[in-house]
Amino acid sequence: MDVSLLDSAQLKEVKGRRAIINRAVLETRLKEIYESGLPAGEARAQVLSLLRGSLDQGRGEVRRRFLEEGETGHATVRANCFLIDQLLRLLYDHVTQRLYPLPNPSAGERLALIATGGYGRGELAPGSDIDLLFLYSYKLTARTEQVIEELLYFLWDLGLKVGQAARSVDDSLRQARADLTIRTTLLEMRYLWGDQDLYKELKTRYQGEIRGKDPARFIEAKLGERDQRHKKHGSSRYILEPNIKDGKGGLRDLHTLFWIAKDVYRVDEIPSLIDKGVFTRAEVRSFEKAQEFLWTLRCQLHYQTGRAEERLTFDFQTIIAEAMGYVAHAGTQAVERLMKHYFLVAKDVGDLTRIFCAALEAQHNRRSRFRLLPLGRRRSVGGFTIDGDRLSATGPEAFIKDPCNLLRIFHVAQQHDLDIHPQTLHWVTRNLKLIDRDLRKDPEANGLFLEMLTSKKGPETTLRRLNEAGVFGRFVPDFGRVVAQMQYNMYHHYTVDEHTIFAIGILHAVEQGHLKEEVPIASEVIHKVLSRRVLYCAVLLHDIAKGRPGDHSELGAEVALKLCPRLGLNEEETETVAWLVRWHLLMSETAFRRDISDAKTIRDFADQVQSLERLRLLLILTVVDIRAVGPGTWTAWKAALLRDLYWLTEEVLAGGFLTEGREARIEVAQQALREGLTDWEPAEIEKHLRRGYPSYWLSCDTPTHLHHARLVREAEQVGRPLTVDTRIDRYRETTEVTVYTADHPGLFSRIAGAMAVAGASIEAARIFTLSNGMALDIFWIHGANGEPFERPDQRARLSAAIERSLGGKMRPLTELKKRQSVLPSRLKVFKVRPRVLIDNGASAGHTVVEINGRDRPGLLFQVTLALSKLGLVIHSALISTYGESVVDAFYLRDALGSKITDETKLKRIREKLLEALQDPDCKPEPPRKVAARRRRRAAATANRKAVEDMKVEKAKESE
């Protein structure tokens, strides 16, 4: 038997081998060094220098071919193997023939060098370990031990990472029987150098005594290892920073299939599985394409990071996307296209695994160790056979004769709480082409899909099965476009299709009452909606147009208008779904970016919603959408804002309290305060009531008014110039900080700076100036990880920082520059263009300025400092963070208490805020280009309306 370094097929993939390493030239040079008569230490140093130079040159050549000439990943790992093979061969000959020569070795001195693991398979990534087996005959002699040690010292001195074992043939076989890991490594053994007969002996005995023996145990062990590996690296293949080697759908999953194929089917290459009836030619091509893509991606990752990195992190995704030639297209970034390709490949790996497991079960009568064997006889339901707890089709002809069965089998499985047999899923996957235009128009097929979507049995599992099998995307092509669609930011945790299916699962949990404590209002009103079908379709379609150029909400509404009638919704239901998709962000944007204590905010929102039914539907859609974004995105603060917005809007739509006059609402608030201050003298109460302007009485609830009254009275009685009060707001799960001190320009920015120095993050703020010239400012804050700022040491540090800042003893900007850490590379990769939007129509009495930029320590301080220097007064602020991006809204007036309407002033505000938002990695977003005439007309209209609103506001205040 001819045993070579790599088999002929593998060698063909390594082109220009002598340019990588020339063994003959190096052999001659090694001989010259040895015969030069140099001292042993000096000779060894020259050998190391020679081989290190050759190793570096060879690696550089392989890298150059990959990065500059576009060599494939598979060819690259083969070339790396060839380089190490030749180096090991040179070293082996040098050590055994020159350093420890033995002209006539005995049987006990026989030694062979064997490659195992991935290296044995002929695949060596740039940063991977080299797995070696030093195989000796029956005992480890002193000379053999010296040879092995010397070889290892050379390899270590060359900087190579080596995983090694030294065993006899008998030891290797005995350990392979006892340890499935060793059995697996020997499954891929490959001769490198030394005694060929010894290698042949191990190979022959392994084939006869180990390989293919007790296949069930081997299969269960390998699939069990896979499951544990998936659990360790995240159980989803759609993780946005995936481990491309060990994660679900990664290279190791393909290796697992290959190991089982080699052991159970006794094949040495995947195409041989065609003859075994396991894979079709198309599936073998899918395997090879997936393997090629993953190897190319892994080589890129190793080369770009300079280490054996297997996790494709955000910062390297952009670099690798460019290196692999991906470009932005049709509204999708290059990096998003790379990741979509990766997720689709990972899905293909999952499909191949399912097909492979179906074949194993069919041919080896294997069932998962987690299942019970079927009891009783088979029975039939819906035209399919129930075998134990799984649903099966009689054969692929069941789908060919009636393509509607491609949906019906999932419907039947859902109705009867059954799994679907892997072989049946295999037939489904192979017949996806039957899902054509005719089937998409079929009323029965659409009815089945809608019933699965809205089933009270729980649609999430069924929809995920439909998606995994490829049926979902074929039957709803618009959904197929968002399968594996990544959203490249630190806010969204899942691909669009996973997010959507997850959201539908959360909707079902809300409907079943499983989330009553977390979302009590949504859990209540969901049973009041008129159409469940509208709600489920809206959740399905809310992100259906993500990744397309344009506004995904508007485009999604257009999709809804076309798809909903096809699914069987009537005209009214279709219109409601389209409205919900179009405005699915409206409630969260209003709650988180607008002051909901401003009556105009509520009126504008109510005017857009128009009905209680829409309000209920929109609340539920908003809740499930946010909760499905990922862990940590749903907070008590957001929940409280949405609840408050819902209640306030419900009042307006029902013709309630907010529709009453402003004066009446102020009187109600003041009367509630009088009734609560039972221990105060009437004169004291009236004095306090005169301190607050109308905006104060309209912006806070009665418990807050009572708390402020006692706080202000105490501060006035003792003559305290600064009061900093903190209390935990359990309703919002945040810390409320009230600052009572003399008002002066820049107060807000100084407090914000002090809070940043103390390590607090501001969620929102309301600023009030009382008639006595004192400021009563309220801040809602949390710690760095979103927790309430409640430890005594934290609160003491916060109070001290505010006092030092307001007393001029601390300059927040200087302190923040000292403490500001360099942003991690994973955050720096995200580019958030600074943006400033100015809206004079959102509030009757204030100019609303919304800023958008990349989050960083002290950003709020710098923004509010800029506003202060512009002479603007902040009435309230709302702070929202979405991953790396921050969106802050400020309600402003000028120093005279009026809206800012002058175009020159507005332009200056924008310029100064963009300076404050300036980020060296992100360019400001340019103003939207509008025709000059249209821009002037719009500005004039806004100014006239602002002046009218201001007059009305002042008239009311004077009353």
Side-chain angles (χ1 to χ4, degrees), residues 140-210:
L140 185 62
T141 65
R143 186 258 181 183
T144 301
E145 192 170 356
Q146 285 179 315
V147 169
I148 293 172
E149 287 182 357
E150 189 65 36
L151 281 168
L152 287 173
Y153 283 132
F154 267 116
L155 294 173
W156 291 332
D157 288 344
L158 287 170
L160 296 171
K161 294 178 289 183
V162 183
Q164 86 285 344
R167 302 190 194 99
S168 67
V169 173
D170 288 339
D171 284 342
S172 298
L173 295 171
R174 182 174 62 255
Q175 292 191 34
R177 291 188 188 95
D179 189 330
L180 286 172
T181 300
I182 295 175
R183 173 173 171 172
T184 305
T185 59
L186 291 180
L187 189 63
E188 298 182 305
M189 67 176 125
R190 178 171 60 87
Y191 172 76
L192 286 175
W193 210 237
D195 193 310
Q196 290 191 21
D197 290 336
L198 197 58
Y199 166 76
K200 292 176 185 177
E201 180 185 349
L202 175 62
K203 184 83 171 179
T204 302
R205 290 186 59 187
Y206 179 87
Q207 299 280 27
E209 300 175 24
I210 306 294

Side-chain angles (χ1 to χ4, degrees), residues 101 139 207 256 289 357 394 415 503 519 593 649 688 729 796 877 888 940:
K139 65 177 180 177
Q207 299 280 27
T256 299
K289 285 173 65 178
C357 289
T394 55
Q415 294 300 308
V519 289
R593 302 184 192 178
T649 309
H688 180 75
D729 184 340
D888 297 348

Side-chain angles (χ1 to χ4, degrees), residues 470-574:
V471 175
F472 203 158
R474 289 282 296 188
F475 189 70
V476 184
D478 287 295
F479 186 83
R481 293 180 64 171
V482 298
V483 169
Q485 176 67 49
M486 177 196 189
Q487 302 175 78
Y488 189 65
N489 54 54
M490 292 183 68
Y491 179 62
H492 293 93
H493 294 236
Y494 307 108
T495 54
V496 178
D497 55 327
E498 276 289 292
H499 163 75
T500 301
I501 293 172
F502 191 28
I504 291 169
I506 293 172
L507 175 60
H508 175 71
V510 171
E511 187 177 26
Q512 295 300 307
H514 300 322
L515 298 174
K516 281 183 179 179
E517 292 186 8
E518 295 92 333
V519 289
I521 307 303
S523 298
E524 176 187 341
V525 302
I526 196 170
H527 300 293
K528 297 179 181 179
V529 299
L530 301 178
S531 174
R532 293 178 66 254
R533 304 197 309 177
V534 164
L535 191 52
Y536 277 87
C537 286
V539 176
L540 170 66
L541 300 178
H542 77 281
D543 277 347
I544 197 76
K546 277 280 182 76
R548 304 187 194 186
D551 187 323
H552 82 279
S553 299
E554 294 179 2
L555 296 172
E558 294 174 7
V559 172
L561 290 173
K562 295 178 181 178
L563 181 61
C564 290
R566 195 195 101 186
L567 295 178
L569 272 65
N570 61 38
E571 186 176 345
E572 183 181 350
E573 289 174 319
T574 298

Side-chain angles (χ1 to χ4, degrees), residues 274-321:
I274 297 173
D275 296 333
K276 301 287 184 179
V278 177
F279 284 155
T280 63
R281 293 189 184 278
E283 288 156 357
V284 167
R285 284 196 299 273
S286 178
F287 186 103
E288 292 171 342
K289 285 173 65 178
Q291 183 172 244
E292 181 60 75
F293 173 79
L294 291 172
W295 267 122
T296 300
L297 194 58
R298 191 180 182 206
C299 288
Q300 280 283 357
L301 192 53
H302 282 203
Y303 281 133
Q304 299 293 351
T305 59
R307 60 182 183 272
E309 179 62 64
E310 310 299 352
R311 188 172 173 227
L312 188 55
T313 54
F314 288 129
D315 44 344
F316 283 100
Q317 288 173 12
T318 52
I319 295 170
I320 291 173

Side-chain angles (χ1 to χ4, degrees), residues 892-959:
L892 307 173
R893 284 177 175 173
D894 63 19
L896 299 176
S898 303
K899 277 188 175 184
I900 303 98
T901 57
D902 181 74
E903 279 295 317
T904 303
K905 289 182 179 179
L906 293 174
K907 182 180 180 182
R908 183 164 176 75
I909 291 171
R910 186 178 188 278
E911 290 172 350
K912 290 300 179 183
L913 287 178
L914 285 174
E915 286 180 16
L917 291 167
Q918 190 172 8
D919 189 321
D921 295 321
C922 308
K923 295 180 180 179
E925 183 173 295
R928 295 171 184 171
K929 294 182 178 179
V930 184
R933 184 182 301 173
R934 182 180 169 191
R935 186 169 60 247
R936 287 194 298 270
R937 187 185 303 135
T941 302
N943 286 343
R944 282 196 299 272
K945 189 175 187 306
V947 170
E948 291 170 3
D949 289 341
M950 183 177 63
K951 289 178 178 177
V952 171
E953 187 75 16
K954 286 189 173 181
K956 289 179 177 178
E957 288 185 3
S958 63
E959 292 173 3

